[in-house]
Amino acid sequence: MTILRTISILAAGLGLLCPPAWAEKADRDKPMLIEADAMRHDENKLLTLFTGQVVAYKGTMVLRGARMEVQQDKNGQQVAHVWAAPKERVLFRQKREGVDECTEGEGEMAIYDSQADVVTLIQRAEVRILRGTVLADQINGQKIVFNNTTEVMTVDSPAPG
């Protein structure tokens, strides 16, 4: 009985050390709002191209780049591909659930899948966890994937350097 109780107390204590959820849960239900210098929409293909200083907002999530293509399906789900200007990187930023923290990342390209609630940063990818304004953690790789639904992040192959 005392071993079981010790394990329960230990398990409860370890639960306090687990990181909080990646993203604000309310962001999933927010519409995507996009600002850009120019836009071209093809209703037959449900494809929209944004160019020039593109900034997309979805709740607390922000994606910033030079060009964005948004493909929408008949159910309203969207997949956005965002590209950086030459020699620059796309910026991704999102507040974390229930804490004064945010996840911030960069890559030459970003993909956001609204149905899966997944953000992928590709090429020269970097992610930073900020507690307030203080850098708490930093990860680099060629491909970094955040799954906001499962709260799992994967990093493939370290960035060269």
Side-chain angles (χ1 to χ4, degrees):
M1 181 71 174
T2 58
I3 293 174
L4 183 58
R5 183 174 176 188
T6 304
I7 292 171
S8 297
I9 292 169
L10 181 60
L14 290 175
L16 297 174
L17 300 175
C18 293
W22 282 109
E24 287 282 335
K25 302 232 184 275
D27 289 355
R28 294 178 186 144
D29 300 324
K30 302 283 185 188
M32 183 177 280
L33 306 171
I34 301 170
E35 299 175 355
D37 292 338
M39 188 238 358
R40 182 176 182 272
H41 177 71
D42 184 329
E43 185 63 31
N44 291 326
K45 295 179 182 177
L46 296 175
L47 179 68
T48 308
L49 173 63
F50 299 90
T51 55
Q53 298 184 25
V54 180
V55 183
Y57 303 94
K58 185 170 173 68
T60 67
M61 183 181 76
V62 177
L63 279 169
R64 189 172 287 144
R67 183 170 66 105
M68 175 186 283
E69 285 184 6
V70 179
Q71 181 69 58
Q72 185 168 315
D73 67 18
K74 296 190 185 298
N75 297 322
Q77 298 300 322
Q78 301 168 328
V79 175
H81 289 79
V82 186
W83 292 271
K87 299 183 182 180
E88 293 189 16
R89 293 188 291 178
V90 171
L91 172 71
F92 160 76
R93 184 176 175 95
Q94 189 165 29
K95 185 179 180 322
R96 295 180 74 184
E97 181 75 26
V99 292
D100 183 22
E101 292 185 7
C102 70
T103 301
E104 185 175 85
E106 296 178 282
E108 291 181 20
M109 179 183 174
I111 302 169
Y112 173 66
D113 182 330
S114 70
Q115 183 171 9
D117 198 13
V118 171
V119 176
T120 304
L121 298 170
I122 301 168
Q123 295 179 340
R124 294 190 306 128
E126 177 181 321
V127 170
R128 296 171 295 279
I129 306 296
L130 301 171
R131 290 192 181 117
T133 58
V134 177
L135 179 65
D137 205 354
Q138 183 171 334
I139 300 164
N140 295 296
Q142 284 302 308
K143 180 178 178 184
I144 300 174
V145 180
F146 313 106
N147 186 319
N148 288 320
T149 303
T150 62
E151 300 174 5
V152 172
M153 178 171 42
T154 60
V155 181
D156 292 335
S157 69

